[in-house]
DNA sequence: AGTTTACAAGTCCTAGGGTCTTGTCAAACG
DNA sequence: CGTTTGACAAGACCCTAGGACTTGTAAACT
C-alpha cells in the first residue's frame, strides 16, 4: 500500500480521438450491441443493415442516421470490445493494489478467459497480433494502437510501484507479458488460469531481481 | 563445461517419419531447392510443374518421378525449411556450451534474422503460431509439431544443465522463449539482436532464481 | 423523432465457356 | 536404365455476363 503514487491516468486518455460508447443517442448503443450479437452468431459479413434494423425494431434509415455507414458500425463495435478489454485489464490492477504479480495473473487470466468465449475480442486480439480475420478491415483506425494502449495502461500501473529494475527493462517485461498473453489467445495450450499462473510466475522472477 | 551430461538426441530423432532431404536421387534435391527459390520470388501458387522442370533443365515427367505430386513437393520444401530452422537453433546451443543465456540469445537472434529474410521460414513459423498464409496447406503433416519439435530440442539442451528450478517451471520457461520468438516473428518491433537481448535477459532473470 | 418509399451505385452470387495445369500413360530415345 | 516425348482425361482457374441483393442517400410522410 505504500508504493502507490499516481492516481491513474484514466482509460479515456488512451483514446483521445473518436468518442467512446458514451455520447450516442438511445438507439446507437442498442444497435452496436445487437450488431456484436449478430456478428458473434452469424459473422460480420452476414449482417445487413436491414436485418439489424429489423432486429432492434427500428427502420433502416434510423440505423444510417445513428451510425453512418456499415464500416462505421463495425468500427464502433470493435471499439466497444477494445474498451471492455482495457477496462477489464485496468480493473484487475485496481483489484490488487500492492500486489503486482497477483494483478498480472488476474489480468492475464481474465483476458484469456474473455478471448476464449468472445469471438469478437478474440478477433481483435488476434488481429492486433498477426493473425488474419474477416473482421480485420474493421480495425483500420486501431490495429497496433490496441497493443500500444494496453502497453501504456500496464506501464502506467507498473510505474506506481518502486521496482528494482530499470525503466528499459520494465518495458521489456511489459512487452513480454502482453506478447505471451496474445500468443496464448491465438494458440492456447492450457487453461486460462494455468497459463496466467505461468506468466505471473515468470514476471515474479523478473521482478525479484537484485532487490 | 561440467554441466553437460547427455550427448544429444540428434535432430533426425525429432522427425521419425518422412525421410529427410538425404536419400533422394540427384534431381530431387535440386528440384526442391529450385521450388523454394521460385516460391520466394513468385509465390507457391505461381509455380507449375512445367516451369519448375524447365528451370531445373529436366522434363516434366522427371519431376513427377522424383517428387510425386505438387503437394508432396510443397511439403518437402517446407520440411527443408523446418530442418534448417531446427538445425540453426541446435547449432546456437552447441556454440555456447555452459552458457545457457548466450545460447538462447544467439538462437533467438538467428531465428528472427532468418525469418525476416526468408519468406518461407517466416510462413512456417507464422503458420505454426496462428497466422494464415498461402503456404499453410503445405504444412498438413506438421503444423503444431514444429513448435513441439523446437520445444523438445530446447528442452533437451536445458536438461544438460543443473538448473535451480523445477522441471515444470523449466517447461514454462521454454514455452515462454518460443512464444516470444514466434511473436516477434509475426509482429516484430526492434532489431533481431535487440529483441533477442531482451528475451535472453528475461530468461536469465528466471534462471537466477533461488540459486 | 422516426418511418416509409424510391432510387442510383455498387457488391455478391451463379453459371458458363475457355484456358491452363495436374497427374498418368505408353512409346521412343540415348 | 533413366530420361524424354507426346498424348490425354480430369479438374482447377480465369474471365464474363446476368441477376439478386445491399449500400447509402434523398425526399415525402406521420
Amino acid at each position: 500500500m505504500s508504493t502507490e503514487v499516481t492516481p491513474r491516468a484514466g482509460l479515456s486518455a488512451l483514446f483521445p480521438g473518436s468518442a467512446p460508447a458514451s455520447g450516442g443517442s438511445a438507439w446507437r448503443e442498442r444497435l452496436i450491441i445487437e450488431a456484436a450479437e449478430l456478428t458473434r452468431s452469424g459473422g460480420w459479413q452476414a449482417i445487413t443493415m436491414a436485418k439489424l434494423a429489423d432486429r432492434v425494431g427500428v427502420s433502416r434509415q434510423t440505423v444510417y442516421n445513428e451510425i453512418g455507414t456499415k464500416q462505421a458500425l463495425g468500427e464502433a463495435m470493435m471499439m466497444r470490445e477494445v474498451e471492455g478489454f482495457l477496462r477489464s485489464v485496468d480493473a484487475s490492477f485496481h483489484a490488487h493494489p500492492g500486489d503486482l504479480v497477483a494483478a498480472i495473473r488476474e489480468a492475464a487470466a481474465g483476458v484469456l478467459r474473455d478471448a476464449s468465449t468472445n469471438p469478437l475480442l478474440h478477433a481483435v486480439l488476434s488481429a492486433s497480433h498477426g493473425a488474419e480475420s474477416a473482421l480485420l478491415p474493421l480495425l483500420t483506425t486501431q490495429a497496433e494502437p490496441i497493443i500500444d494502449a494496453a502497453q501504456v495502461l500496464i506501464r502506467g500501473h507498473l510505474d506506481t510501484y518502486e521496482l528494482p529494475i530499470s525503466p528499459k527493462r520494465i518495458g521489456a517485461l511489459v512487452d513480454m507479458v502482453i506478447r505471451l498473453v496474445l500468443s496464448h489467445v491465438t494458440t492456447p495450450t492450457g487453461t486460462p488460469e494455468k497459463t496466467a499462473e505461468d506468466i505471473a510466475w515468470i514476471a515474479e522472477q523478473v521482478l525479484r531481481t537484485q532487490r
Side-chain angles (χ1 to χ4, degrees), chain A residues 129-200:
Chain A
H129 205 201
E132 302 282 323
S133 146
L135 304 175
L136 190 103
L138 306 180
L139 290 169
T140 49
T141 44
Q142 61 272 37
E144 317 90 33
I146 296 168
I147 295 190
D148 292 350
Q151 190 123 11
V152 169
L153 173 62
I154 297 177
R155 186 58 189 263
H157 281 288
L158 290 217
D159 285 345
T160 64
Y161 294 79
E162 287 183 7
L163 300 176
I165 57 180
S166 72
K168 244 177 57 179
R169 295 308 193 181
I170 293 181
L173 174 63
V174 173
D175 189 71
M176 175 205 72
V177 170
I178 292 178
R179 284 179 184 270
L180 283 186
V181 170
L182 293 185
S183 171
H184 277 95
V185 164
T186 62
T187 315
T189 44
T191 67
E193 289 72 25
K194 172 74 178 67
T195 301
E197 162 58 27
D198 284 345
I199 294 174

Side-chain angles (χ1 to χ4, degrees), chain A residues 21-120:
Chain A
S22 59
S25 83
W27 289 125
R28 185 181 161 82
E29 184 75 358
R30 232 353 261 300
L31 286 166
I32 294 174
I33 292 175
E34 199 65 37
E37 198 55 50
L38 288 174
T39 303
R40 267 184 271 271
S41 54
W44 171 251
Q45 168 133 327
I47 289 187
T48 72
M49 300 302 245
K51 266 188 247 174
L52 176 62
D54 215 44
R55 202 56 132 51
V56 174
V58 90
S59 76
R60 197 167 67 88
Q61 185 58 39
T62 299
V63 176
Y64 280 97
N65 290 342
E66 292 294 326
I67 305 282
T69 69
K70 190 180 178 184
Q71 171 76 18
L73 171 66
E75 288 176 13
M77 190 180 73
M78 294 310 238
M79 174 74 89
R80 229 186 108 82
E81 296 295 328
V82 172
E83 282 181 25
F85 155 69
L86 290 176
R87 214 175 304 279
S88 147
V89 170
D90 198 48
S92 295
F93 277 90
H94 280 289
H96 297 277
D99 190 345
L100 208 40
V101 174
I104 292 174
R105 179 167 37 233
E106 180 177 314
V111 170
L112 291 173
R113 238 180 281 117
D114 290 353
S116 73
T117 57
N118 182 348
L120 261 64

